[in-house]
């Protein structure tokens, strides 16, 4: 299992467009991909789960990938957060 912590810097928070980008990337991996905010988890492969976390600017998230391709998944998802 691999985890990273990220902070959202976009003033709009994690809205539909970036959530869709994360969702599409996560679906390309076999491992489980989870986003956690304040103790609530969301499967990144489910866009409505991401949106349900209501992520705002300044929120801190923990991204966890667990499975065969977890290294590649955490690297790819981490890169996406760097561009948001």
């Amino acid at each position: 299992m691999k985890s990273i912590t990220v902070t959202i810097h976009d003033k709009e928070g994690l809205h539909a467009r970036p959530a869709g980008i994360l969702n599409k990337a996560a679906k390309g991996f076999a491992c489980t991909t989870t986003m956690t905010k304040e103790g609530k988890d969301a499967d990144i492969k489910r866009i409505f789960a991401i949106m349900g976390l209501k992520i705002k600017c300044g929120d801190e998230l923990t991204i966890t990938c667990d499975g065969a391709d977890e290294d590649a998944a955490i690297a790819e998802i981490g890169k996406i957060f760097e561009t948001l």
Side-chain angles (χ1 to χ4, degrees):
M1 180 176 6
K2 302 285 182 176
S3 296
I4 58 171
T5 301
V6 297
T7 302
I8 302 301
H9 298 289
D10 188 324
K11 66 180 179 173
E12 301 296 323
L14 190 62
H15 51 88
R17 185 190 56 77
I21 293 168
L22 287 166
N23 176 257
K24 184 177 179 179
K27 285 183 176 181
F29 297 99
C31 66
T32 61
T33 55
T34 307
M35 178 183 299
T36 305
K37 174 191 164 199
E38 299 174 353
K40 294 182 182 179
D41 295 332
D43 181 349
I44 301 174
K45 294 179 183 179
R46 297 180 56 227
I47 194 162
F48 289 114
I50 297 170
M51 298 302 293
L53 290 179
K54 299 176 183 168
I55 301 164
K56 298 179 180 134
C57 183
D59 285 347
E60 188 172 273
L61 309 171
T62 301
I63 309 303
T64 305
C65 298
D66 189 18
D69 52 0
E70 63 190 28
D71 291 325
I74 203 81
E76 179 69 23
I77 293 169
K79 283 182 193 175
I80 292 169
F81 274 105
E82 289 175 6
T83 64
L84 299 179

